[in-house]
Amino acid sequence: MGPCLLGVDAGSTVTKAVLFDETGREIGQAAQRVPHSYPRPHHVERDQDELWEVTCSVIREVVDTTGVRPSEVAGVAVTSHGDGIYLVDERGRPTRPGILSLDTRAAGLVADWERTGHCGAVLPLSGQKPWPGSPVSVLAWLLRNEPDVMARTAYALPGKDVIKQRLTGVFSTDPTESSLSFTNVYSQEYDRETLRVFGVEELFRLLPQVIPSHEVAGEVTGAAAERCGLLPGTPVASGAHDVDCGAIGMGTVLPGQLAMIAGTFSINEVISDAARVDERWNARAFVVPGQWMNMSLSPSSAANLEWFATRLAATDMRAGSAVGRPFGFVEEDLRAIESTPSDLVYLPFLYGSPYPVDASAAFVGLRGWHERGHLLRAVMEGVVFNHRHHVDALRDGFDVTDIRLTGGAANSARWVRMFADTLAAPVGVSTVREAGALGSAMLAGIAAGLYADLPQAAAAVGTEPVICEPTPGGVARQEENYRRHQRVVKKMTAVWAELEENR
């Protein structure tokens, strides 16, 4: 077998190790869940040692089960959930559990910053406003509430960089992660002023060196090699944030290309070769120096369908799981009602929204004659409409040349059609199952010298999508439904605000 590339994707719930050949063909994978802990309301944490144990386990498993010799692994790269933070001392030992991006302990602090104008003041500097899961928000909360922990801490690392440090012994991050809170949007370099705005300049001492995503950050140490089953000295690339790796893995590598990831979060991002600041998106550094990944996102996507299925259709989901089709009932329900009007509105805000109010989920227009299929169709439409809210913002700011989709929604042809009709544009569906791991492996390939740059890596792995074209009738229908959805959101905003005041 020729040279292989190992991509590790440490998501918020599952950590995967995936081996690819030079053409992007998946050779094999291994995956394990890493549980969360919830020590207090709004706190979502993870044991760092357990994360490392699981990472070692899945790497060793995929190497062993595929029969790939450790010497055939040309390079490794790690990606992980962005935002949140992991604290370690000068030896790399945890000073507390890792904090995930789902954690909202800093919500009150961010609300204070918003009221006092700090969020608006930092936007022109960093290209984004903080939110509760932002590294700066979490770290500022820790300074106030856990000063003893902060005093023992030497580095504040993103999730992937904790794993990378244990692989290599090197404390570092990459531009896509450093730009989450701490860099100037134009220079793409660390900027003390972004911390001074929030009165937390002392955090600057915790920031690790920044190494470009496609460069070698270190080599697998002897101790790590023994644990993982890799060869000592194997190059480890600096890597990137998971939304960047997901985009890369689906072939989104050039300015103007827009990637939609429909999973727990509604992630919508377009690459640009110039910085443009707007409160509707986060202008963050892309893996290519001098380019930006502009992300408009909210925690309001395909996870809504999973919630519906597990809470309101659990029996059918269990029956489908027994034959390998847990969501098989969805298409059956939708076929039964597809000739009836789409007159039900669903607001997909179970876990949050893109609006500056504590929005919640709701069905609007529900009547006694509605079947379960009507509710399912409304859920799917609501998810698509929330993506469009973000995509419209990005289209205002950038010349979008093509749109690609991955995530749970991409597994449904009907759902993909809704996206194409709602956006009135062709939507390319990624054929890559593990886009995040592949994007990470592509960066490892560049670092190892198998590819010259990102476009060559994308060409080598053949990530061309399957195109779904919009239909004239569907575009007109979805435009009408979207306008109705937006009117409902506007009316509900006052209700949500009143509910928030009365809590």
Side-chain angles (χ1 to χ4, degrees):
M1 187 178 294
C4 304
L5 297 167
L6 177 62
V8 177
D9 186 353
S12 58
T13 56
V14 176
T15 293
K16 299 176 182 177
V18 189
L19 277 169
F20 301 92
D21 67 15
E22 289 181 88
T23 68
R25 180 182 66 87
E26 183 179 316
I27 300 169
Q29 68 164 277
Q32 289 185 34
R33 296 182 68 86
V34 183
H36 302 164
S37 62
Y38 305 90
R40 294 170 57 188
H42 306 291
H43 292 220
V44 186
E45 300 183 348
R46 165 180 282 169
D47 185 280
Q48 295 191 46
D49 289 332
E50 187 170 19
L51 174 61
W52 172 239
E53 292 293 335
V54 167
T55 302
C56 292
S57 177
V58 293
I59 292 175
R60 179 173 287 279
E61 180 181 346
V62 74
V63 172
D64 289 345
T65 57
T66 58
V68 169
R69 294 192 300 273
S71 60
E72 294 176 317
V73 179
V76 181
V78 183
T79 189
S80 180
H81 70 87
D83 296 280
I85 207 72
Y86 293 69
L87 304 184
V88 298
D89 64 19
E90 66 280 352
R91 297 178 297 118
R93 295 297 305 149
T95 56
R96 69 169 333 281
I99 298 176
L100 278 74
S101 56
L102 298 171
D103 190 286
T104 58
R105 73 185 69 193
L109 179 60
V110 174
D112 289 341
W113 285 345
E114 188 68 51
R115 283 193 297 269
T116 55
H118 290 76
C119 292
V122 83
L123 178 64
L125 298 173
S126 69
Q128 60 198 304
K129 289 184 175 182
W131 58 291
S134 297
V136 70
S137 308
V138 176
L139 287 170
W141 187 94
L142 291 171
L143 278 176
R144 291 187 182 186
N145 294 277
E146 299 183 10
D148 56 329
V149 169
M150 298 300 283
R152 300 195 306 271
T153 298
Y155 294 97
L157 299 174
K160 80 171 193 319
D161 297 313
V162 165
I163 297 172
K164 190 174 67 181
Q165 189 277 328
R166 295 209 186 190
L167 281 170
T168 66
V170 177
F171 296 95
S172 67
T173 190
D174 83 290
T176 69
E177 301 274 21
S178 65
S179 67
L180 299 184
S181 285
F182 309 116
T183 60
N184 179 280
V185 65
Y186 298 103
S187 70
Q188 299 183 334
E189 296 178 352
Y190 283 141
D191 183 6
R192 291 179 183 270
E193 184 65 13
T194 61
L195 298 178
R196 189 200 62 77
V197 169
F198 300 116
V200 290
E201 299 98 315
E202 62 190 280
L203 294 177
F204 202 82
R205 70 175 179 83
L206 304 179
L207 304 182
Q209 65 173 317
V210 180
I211 299 173
S213 302
H214 60 280
E215 292 187 5
V216 175
E219 298 178 344
V220 175
T221 66
E226 185 175 351
R227 296 289 302 279
C228 297
L230 296 173
L231 192 70
T234 303
V236 179
S238 189
H241 186 295
D242 65 349
V243 297
D244 291 87
C245 285
I248 292 167
M250 59 195 288
T252 308
V253 298
L254 298 174
Q257 292 185 308
L258 186 146
M260 295 185 297
I261 305 174
T264 301
F265 273 69
S266 171
I267 298 171
N268 311 270
E269 50 190 4
V270 63
I271 302 167
S272 67
D273 52 15
R276 185 166 184 179
V277 173
D278 191 294
E279 65 180 359
R280 293 174 295 173
W281 60 76
N282 298 325
R284 295 174 171 176
F286 187 45
V287 298
V288 177
Q291 291 185 345
W292 286 259
M293 181 63 90
N294 306 279
M295 292 182 277
S296 187
L297 68 165
S298 59
S300 315
S301 191
N304 281 267
L305 182 62
E306 183 175 359
W307 166 83
F308 186 100
T310 55
R311 300 298 177 89
L312 304 179
T315 300
D316 288 317
M317 194 172 183
R318 283 194 295 270
S321 296
V323 294
R325 298 179 63 244
F327 291 93
F329 74 92
V330 173
E331 186 58 31
E332 295 171 10
D333 283 3
L334 291 172
R335 277 199 300 267
I337 57 90
E338 63 185 347
S339 63
T340 61
S342 180
D343 58 355
L344 187 59
V345 175
Y346 176 69
L347 307 178
F349 307 135
L350 289 170
Y351 308 107
S353 82
Y355 304 104
V357 64
D358 190 14
S360 56
F363 286 101
V364 178
L366 186 62
R367 302 288 186 177
W369 58 80
H370 283 124
E371 302 288 343
R372 189 172 68 178
H374 293 105
L375 275 69
L376 283 165
R377 183 170 63 191
V379 168
M380 294 168 74
E381 279 193 334
V383 167
V384 175
F385 292 158
N386 189 60
H387 275 272
R388 174 168 168 180
H389 170 83
H390 293 295
V391 172
D392 281 354
L394 294 171
R395 281 168 158 173
D396 282 349
F398 305 95
D399 182 16
V400 174
T401 56
D402 71 284
I403 299 173
R404 302 190 182 192
L405 174 68
T406 191
N411 296 321
S412 164
R414 187 185 296 268
W415 217 344
V416 173
R417 172 71 59 196
M418 282 186 187
F419 273 94
D421 287 343
T422 299
L423 299 175
V427 171
V429 179
S430 174
T431 58
V432 177
R433 286 196 311 158
E434 301 295 344
L438 177 58
S440 189
M442 290 162 67
L443 294 173
I446 300 170
L450 298 186
Y451 317 120
D453 53 26
L454 200 52
Q456 187 185 93
V461 303
T463 53
E464 284 303 309
V466 176
I467 304 298
C468 178
E469 297 283 351
T471 60
V475 169
R477 181 177 61 253
Q478 292 302 101
E479 180 66 23
E480 179 181 350
N481 293 345
Y482 178 68
R483 295 302 172 190
R484 179 177 60 202
H485 179 272
Q486 291 300 90
R487 290 194 297 271
V488 172
V489 169
K490 185 175 182 180
K491 294 290 186 181
M492 283 296 297
T493 300
V495 176
W496 290 322
E498 183 178 348
L499 292 172
E500 195 172 1
E501 289 176 3
N502 293 332
R503 286 198 182 105

